Amino acid sequence: MPAPSLGGGMPAGAPGAMPAGPVLPSAEVQARISRLEATLLADPKNYAAWFALGNEYFDTHQHQKSVDAYAKGLAIKPDEPNVITDQGVMYRDLGQIDKALANFQKANKLDPNHVQSLFNMGVVYSADLHKPEEAAKAWNKVIALAPSSEQAAQARQMLSQLKK
């Protein structure tokens, strides 16, 4: 069963099917990246700029650069479940499943109502770790927390596939 794409915790990029490899940034995106990098050279403690840079790298599938930028922002402001979730998505894309799961669990511990981290936990448990019971627990929590959300609709679909 193919796993759905993981969604990030932040609204910067539309979750859904993404190409596997890096996407060359457009001139506009590259200009934003350059501005953020310049901002960070002048103010390396600017967590918002680190998070924004991580999002730009996330959206252009520059996985390691995204992980690194998020890490620098999280070193300054560590309790951001959306950023931790996005970093987890990038870890998974790098094949670092244990780190991805740890991020999703941490985000959910910080905010037990964080639907995206729960949904992503279910994907990792199902597709990567082959633990359908754990996946079902995560997805059932998604449905209970946000029954009309896009994540709940996807969780219901994934649960029905687990039962087959």
Side-chain angles (χ1 to χ4, degrees):
M1 141 178 78
S5 295
L6 297 181
M10 302 190 91
M18 297 181 188
V23 174
L24 293 176
S26 67
E28 180 182 327
V29 172
Q30 190 54 55
R32 286 195 307 261
I33 289 172
S34 294
R35 282 192 299 274
L36 287 165
E37 289 171 341
T39 297
L40 290 163
L41 279 174
D43 182 10
K45 299 282 187 197
N46 186 332
Y47 67 86
W50 283 118
F51 294 161
L53 184 60
N55 290 340
E56 294 292 348
Y57 290 143
F58 182 109
D59 291 343
T60 56
H61 313 286
Q62 297 180 67
H63 311 278
Q64 190 60 56
K65 286 183 176 184
S66 181
V67 164
D68 295 343
Y70 288 144
K72 289 183 180 181
L74 288 167
I76 301 163
K77 190 170 182 181
D79 296 336
E80 293 293 324
N82 288 332
V83 178
I84 293 165
T85 298
D86 284 353
Q87 187 185 49
V89 172
M90 293 291 95
Y91 276 132
R92 183 172 185 257
D93 286 348
L94 288 167
Q96 297 177 27
I97 304 307
D98 291 342
K99 286 184 178 182
L101 182 60
N103 271 48
F104 301 144
Q105 290 169 333
K106 180 178 180 181
N108 191 253
K109 186 175 182 180
L110 288 168
D111 179 1
N113 296 321
H114 196 264
V115 173
Q116 193 63 58
S117 61
L118 274 170
F119 178 80
N120 292 358
M121 265 192 272
V123 171
V124 168
Y125 280 128
S126 176
D128 301 316
L129 300 177
H130 309 290
K131 294 184 175 182
E133 307 82 24
E134 295 298 321
K137 285 181 195 174
W139 288 331
N140 281 317
K141 284 183 189 176
V142 167
I143 294 165
L145 285 172
S148 59
S149 68
E150 178 183 329
Q151 293 92 341
Q154 290 179 326
R156 285 184 193 93
Q157 181 182 10
M158 297 308 293
L159 284 167
S160 71
Q161 290 179 7
L162 281 181
K163 295 175 184 175
K164 291 180 182 178

